[in-house]
Amino acid sequence: MRIVSLVPSITESLFDFGLTEMEVVGRTKFCIHPKTLITKVPVIGGTKNLNLDKIKALKPDLIIANKEENEKLQIEELGKYFEIWLTNIENLQDNQNFLTELGTLLNKQELALNFNEKINVIFDSSKELSPKKVAYLIWKNPYMTVGSDTFIHEIIEKIGFTNLFKDSKTKEERIKTEQVLKEKLEKYDIFTKNMMSGDNNLLKTGLSLYSDKSSIMQVKYIGGNADKFATSELKENRNKDSYQDRF
């Protein structure tokens, strides 16, 4: 089966299920993991500005897209020529269902079951005893964070943290100024950065804004549905200096 993946976290999941560049024949420029395997897969644009001609030339058997990540009109156009799997993962149950369906599609049901069992074990053992409030940034210029109606929010709450912007009326909320962000961070313990975006400047900005009462976490997998989550990082990597050294 020839698959084009339009979602970074799903691209990585396909490789985790044992697929190679022979099966994953197209990816977006934001699909950068796993680094040792992804380089041979052709890039077909960004998640929201797909090169439709390149995708058509690849003649995929299946295109995996996402309701939030990809543009509706582009997906509808591709749907005229190819089979589309339009995912919409808003919570952990959706994620479990996705992995189960993916395992069935790839005839790897046992592997999917193992992934889901491991995820359940991780969350059951990763609950914070002393809940901390989290500001989770997904973008800069303007600064943006996530509200309660998101997959990221559920992961944060499931681990035992509290989303500082949980009362937002939208999935994504703009933070108007650096000063507003700084004032909020000075009151809370943790500032998080979505490493999936690939924008290390966002992390540097967090380092410059936060107070001694706060700390910074590098979070890789929390931002998208996947078969693994970096909960060990969430529990252990909480000091400022370790991240200054890296970036």
Side-chain angles (χ1 to χ4, degrees), residues 18-229:
L19 272 60
T20 69
E21 71 274 8
M22 301 300 293
E23 292 91 11
V24 183
V25 298
R27 63 178 172 104
T28 74
K29 64 182 180 181
F30 300 109
C31 300
I32 59 174
H33 296 290
K35 290 184 178 180
T36 57
L37 301 175
I38 200 69
T39 55
K40 295 181 180 179
V41 180
V43 174
I44 46 75
T47 54
K48 298 187 183 300
N49 56 338
L50 304 170
N51 188 319
L52 302 187
D53 289 335
K54 280 188 177 182
I55 295 175
K56 292 175 182 178
L58 291 170
K59 298 180 179 180
D61 300 307
L62 176 67
I63 297 173
I64 305 180
N66 180 265
K67 181 180 178 181
E68 296 292 334
E69 286 283 342
N70 307 121
E71 293 293 328
K72 180 181 179 181
L73 292 179
Q74 290 190 316
I75 300 305
E76 288 178 346
E77 176 64 21
L78 290 170
K80 297 176 182 178
Y81 307 94
F82 308 106
E83 181 179 353
I84 304 290
W85 181 1
L86 185 62
T87 62
N88 183 28
I89 300 173
E90 297 183 339
N91 51 56
L92 282 169
Q93 184 60 55
D94 289 343
N95 186 74
Q96 180 170 317
N97 294 341
F98 165 75
L99 291 176
T100 299
E101 292 176 26
L102 185 59
T104 300
L105 174 71
L106 302 176
N107 196 28
K108 297 190 177 187
Q109 293 91 335
E110 186 174 349
L111 185 56
L113 178 62
N114 289 339
F115 281 144
N116 279 326
E117 289 178 345
K118 287 180 180 179
I119 289 172
N120 290 334
V121 169
I122 288 172
F123 282 114
D124 288 343
S125 61
S126 299
K127 195 75 172 180
E128 274 292 313
L129 297 179
S130 300
K132 301 181 186 300
K133 293 189 177 182
V134 177
Y136 189 98
L137 296 191
I138 58 174
W139 202 253
K140 180 182 178 182
N141 295 328
Y143 289 107
M144 297 181 71
T145 185
V146 296
S148 60
D149 189 22
T150 60
F151 182 76
I152 296 173
H153 169 82
E154 179 164 352
I155 301 302
I156 290 172
E157 298 282 332
K158 184 76 172 179
I159 295 170
F161 296 135
T162 298
N163 181 6
L164 182 58
F165 293 90
K166 65 181 180 180
D167 294 328
S168 171
K169 303 298 183 182
T170 60
K171 287 180 179 292
E172 298 176 351
E173 176 173 312
R174 295 189 178 192
I175 305 173
K176 294 182 180 180
T177 66
E178 289 189 11
Q179 185 60 34
V180 171
L181 181 60
K182 183 176 181 180
E183 288 173 356
K184 285 186 175 294
L185 289 177
E186 285 176 346
K187 301 175 184 178
Y188 300 95
D189 297 305
I190 298 175
F191 177 103
T192 67
K193 192 273 177 188
N194 182 0
M195 295 302 293
M196 296 293 284
S197 71
D199 181 6
N200 288 340
N201 288 328
L202 190 57
L203 182 58
K204 292 177 181 178
T205 300
L207 284 167
S208 67
L209 292 177
Y210 91 107
S211 70
D212 292 337
K213 297 179 181 179
S214 302
S215 58
I216 299 208
M217 292 191 302
Q218 169 185 338
V219 185
K220 180 178 179 183
Y221 294 108
I222 196 171
N225 58 287
D227 50 274
K228 54 184 177 289
F229 299 93

